Amino acid sequence: MLLTDRNFNTSFYDPAGGGDPILYQHLFWFFGQIWPYLGEILNLNCAICWNHLGTMSTNSVSLIFILATRVKISQFCKWNQPVTNNRSYSSHLVGTSETTRVTSFDPEETRFNQWLAGLIDGDGCLLVSKAGYSSCEITVALDDERMLRIIQNKLGGAIKARSGVKAIRWRLHNRSGMLALVDRINGYIRHSSRLAQLNLVCAALNVPLLSPDILHTTHGWFSGFFDSDGTIGYYFKGPYNQPQLTLSVTNKRYVDVVHFFNYFDGAIYFDKAQNGYYKWSIQSEKNLTTFLEYTKVCPIQSIKRNRLFWNKEYYQLIALKAQKAPENTILHKGWIYFNHKWNTRSA
């Protein structure tokens, strides 16, 4: 069994493939059990055919070895079945072995992985150098350094401020870190450009590419993509200067924003400014409340979350017409204070 582990990529003793490093102790225990019983047999004053006894002992040992081998081979086959979209199995390769590790994430960690994939879809970049080394970069506004620290605490990497702009970048380029990253986001990346980049990274790391999973109303990808390409704000419209709260997500391609329309309603339109882009937006209080309920399950991590928290306060002030209240009144001061929070503590 040890020889097959070393030469044929089995995993009888390798914990990475489901083996037991102290299996030999159990085998010795099995093999040694015949001798106490043999002593009891010899203590009996019975006629014993020594040839038959030797055959019985040999057959017992052989049977035990076959049973142990069959159990381990069945476990080996289970631990090495092909990688599918089932997230219970990862696509890591152990050294040069074809053994596939089994990894699983709890629901909270799964939502984080989905959020991370959404953030990379919007503000990230997956790269492969000419020498075949893979890396990942995520660039966000300087105010959102907290987001990158969360990622760094889980995956490592380096964070540096970008010179000349109010932006900060997280970068990961070591192989073990990239394998851990791919294990988390593989199967959740769905942006058309980023999916092509992930394909190159998977090829460089010798990891099978998983197709995007099916979205749902508690999928963390939406919060990650909103953290990167989303905005929330209000403006005054119409002859009566009525404030209108709007939440939106913009992207160059329709296929990359239509997911929000499919699950959160609203509307999508094409804006010709800045070489053209598609914008999904919601404006009704009902749709905004639905999205706010979603963020309670899959939290927004960027500084934009502040405005989402103030959504309820906004509608309360509008219902009281605080924006039209006379100066120096309590309502007017409440509106001024709300705008101060809105404009200085969020992006």
Side-chain angles (χ1 to χ4, degrees):
M1 294 166 70
L2 184 59
L3 287 174
T4 58
D5 273 8
R6 291 177 175 175
N7 297 282
F8 300 103
N9 293 329
T10 58
S11 57
F12 293 103
Y13 297 101
D14 185 2
D20 186 352
I22 60 171
L23 174 62
Y24 71 91
Q25 293 184 7
H26 302 297
L27 296 178
F28 281 131
W29 183 84
F30 281 126
F31 292 159
Q33 292 310 300
I34 187 64
W35 305 113
Y37 294 109
L38 180 58
E40 294 296 328
I41 294 172
L42 292 175
N43 286 333
L44 296 175
N45 294 320
C46 299
I48 298 176
C49 176
W50 290 102
N51 289 335
H52 176 69
L53 178 61
T55 303
M56 178 183 68
S57 301
T58 304
N59 290 341
S60 298
V61 172
S62 300
L63 178 60
I64 293 169
F65 178 77
I66 291 171
L67 289 175
T69 304
R70 285 179 63 85
V71 170
K72 291 307 297 179
I73 288 177
S74 65
Q75 290 182 357
F76 173 75
C77 293
K78 176 182 177 182
W79 282 75
N80 288 274
Q81 53 187 297
V83 176
T84 65
N85 282 335
N86 188 338
R87 298 300 299 181
S88 296
Y89 298 91
S90 78
S91 50
H92 284 178
L93 299 180
V94 183
T96 58
S97 169
E98 295 300 322
T99 303
T100 306
R101 294 184 182 177
V102 176
T103 57
S104 59
F105 298 98
D106 58 48
E108 183 177 353
E109 200 69 11
T110 296
R111 285 191 291 269
F112 169 81
N113 297 341
Q114 295 166 347
W115 169 84
L116 179 58
L119 184 66
I120 293 175
D121 272 341
D123 282 338
C125 186
L126 297 164
L127 305 169
V128 177
S129 67
K130 293 182 179 179
Y133 298 106
S134 59
S135 63
C136 177
E137 296 179 0
I138 302 176
T139 304
V140 298
L142 194 59
D143 292 335
D144 283 325
E145 180 181 352
R146 172 184 172 273
M147 279 199 310
L148 301 187
R149 295 298 176 186
I150 294 174
I151 300 171
Q152 186 186 45
N153 289 339
K154 290 182 178 289
L155 292 167
I159 297 177
K160 293 184 178 180
R162 302 297 301 272
S163 59
V165 291
K166 293 182 179 180
I168 191 169
R169 181 182 67 186
W170 171 78
R171 187 169 186 266
L172 181 69
H173 58 83
N174 63 82
R175 180 179 175 82
S176 60
M178 286 300 298
L179 281 170
L181 174 66
V182 170
D183 187 43
R184 286 178 175 272
I185 66 174
N186 197 8
Y188 299 136
I189 292 289
R190 63 192 70 250
H191 188 281
S192 48
S193 299
R194 219 67 66 229
L195 193 58
Q197 295 174 1
L198 178 61
N199 186 31
L200 296 177
V201 169
C202 286
L205 297 174
N206 195 23
V207 174
L209 175 69
L210 301 183
S211 57
D213 66 338
I214 299 175
L215 291 170
H216 48 79
T217 53
T218 57
H219 198 290
W221 180 88
F222 292 108
S223 59
F225 201 74
F226 179 80
D227 273 331
S228 60
D229 288 347
T231 57
I232 179 172
Y234 73 86
Y235 62 94
F236 293 92
K237 69 174 186 177
Y240 300 103
N241 288 328
Q242 186 68 19
Q244 177 65 64
L245 186 63
T246 301
L247 185 146
S248 62
V249 174
T250 61
N251 200 270
K252 290 290 184 180
R253 300 189 181 185
Y254 174 85
V255 69
D256 296 322
V257 297
V258 72
H259 307 298
F260 286 86
F261 174 77
N262 293 335
Y263 289 90
F264 297 102
D265 202 6
I268 298 178
Y269 68 91
F270 181 75
D271 195 323
K272 295 182 179 180
Q274 300 177 358
N275 296 323
Y277 60 87
Y278 289 91
K279 175 179 283 191
W280 165 82
S281 65
I282 51 176
Q283 296 181 335
S284 70
E285 184 176 358
K286 177 182 178 181
N287 289 341
L288 286 163
T289 302
T290 300
F291 191 81
L292 183 61
E293 291 299 316
Y294 158 79
T295 61
K296 293 179 180 179
V297 180
C298 304
I300 300 297
Q301 301 295 343
S302 68
I303 202 169
K304 301 167 190 173
R305 69 188 185 280
N306 294 340
R307 287 184 175 179
L308 287 172
F309 294 152
W310 296 328
N311 176 55
K312 185 176 181 180
E313 183 179 352
Y314 165 84
Y315 282 112
Q316 289 176 342
L317 290 171
I318 295 302
L320 295 172
K321 297 183 179 180
Q323 75 280 9
K324 297 181 179 180
E327 292 187 10
N328 298 323
T329 61
I330 295 178
L331 279 179
H332 181 263
K333 291 179 180 180
W335 179 252
I336 296 298
Y337 177 68
F338 171 79
N339 276 272
H340 176 72
K341 292 191 300 181
W342 186 272
N343 294 319
T344 59
R345 300 182 187 179
S346 62

